[in-house]
Amino acid sequence: MSEPPGEHVVLAAWVARRNDWSGGDHASWAIRAAGDLRLLGSVSVFRIDRDQGDAEIGYAVLPAERGAGAAAAAVRQAAAHAFGTLGLHRLQLFHAVENTPSCRVAAKAGFTLEGTLRQSYRYADGRHHDEHVHGLLSSDVPR
Ligand SMILES: CC(C)(COP(=O)(O)OP(=O)(O)OC[C@H]1O[C@@H](n2cnc3c(N)ncnc32)[C@H](O)[C@@H]1OP(=O)(O)O)[C@@H](O)C(=O)NCCC(=O)NCCS
């Protein structure tokens, strides 16, 4: 029986799929430290809706790389691309209420906590969790 793939392999495969931007519905990046080719994680602006001028943002950082500010820095850069290059108006970010690190990332990247959605998403544990919704407007970001 073969071993399940390690988290680097899973994340690398996910990043490879995200390299295809041809559908125009997402813009996604690997997160790397400056001057260092090591993969730290991934960030994605997805569900891009050109009519509404909005999108969602999501991110993940490998466990060994967490707590060093990688996610917050990546979200700030992805948001700059969403507003500057894509010309979007609003980004929204959802996370399970108990995901305190993700809530901190949202706050550090300048998002406003706008509310709590009740049992709004079924996570990998099979249960629907309450989620925070955070929003960032292009006008929130200093130019
Ligand atoms: C959420 C996640 C991306 C954060 O990545 P990261 O690179 O560690 O994020 P940052 O270092 O920018 O910030 C993490 C913040 O959470 C805080 N934090 C970490 N663990 C915490 C905990 N158990 N309780 C409270 N705060 C915690 C850190 O102290 C830091 O805040 P600070 O800068 O004010 O001290 C990472 O934990 C992850 O990949 N989780 C799994 C995937 C996920 O949840 N993605 C988001 C779904 S929307």
Side-chain angles (χ1 to χ4, degrees):
M1 205 164 67
S2 61
E3 290 284 315
E7 55 201 16
H8 266 95
V9 175
V10 170
L11 187 59
W14 188 64
V15 168
R17 284 197 300 279
R18 296 293 176 106
N19 276 342
D20 178 4
W21 292 22
S22 58
D25 57 338
H26 77 96
S28 309
W29 299 265
I31 304 173
R32 299 184 193 280
D36 183 346
L37 287 180
R38 253 174 340 122
L39 179 66
L40 304 182
S42 178
V43 62
S44 181
V45 173
F46 63 103
R47 292 204 177 118
I48 296 172
D49 183 331
R50 292 287 184 177
D51 289 338
Q52 288 295 325
D54 65 18
E56 291 184 33
I57 191 162
Y59 39 83
V61 169
L62 287 164
E65 310 292 350
R66 291 177 188 168
V75 168
R76 279 193 292 269
Q77 289 180 40
H81 178 88
F83 297 138
T85 306
L86 301 179
L88 298 183
H89 164 69
R90 172 183 163 85
L91 283 174
Q92 48 192 7
L93 184 165
F94 300 90
H95 65 80
V97 162
E98 60 273 22
N99 190 346
T100 309
S102 191
C103 205
R104 281 294 304 144
V105 169
K108 289 195 293 178
F111 284 68
T112 297
L113 175 56
E114 297 177 333
T116 302
L117 308 173
R118 295 181 305 149
Q119 298 188 11
S120 51
Y121 192 79
R122 194 200 306 272
Y123 281 80
D125 64 2
R127 293 192 303 112
H128 284 96
H129 288 246
D130 293 353
E131 291 184 299
H132 282 167
V133 55
H134 300 254
L136 185 70
L137 303 182
S138 57
S139 56
D140 292 336
V141 181
R143 303 268 166 177

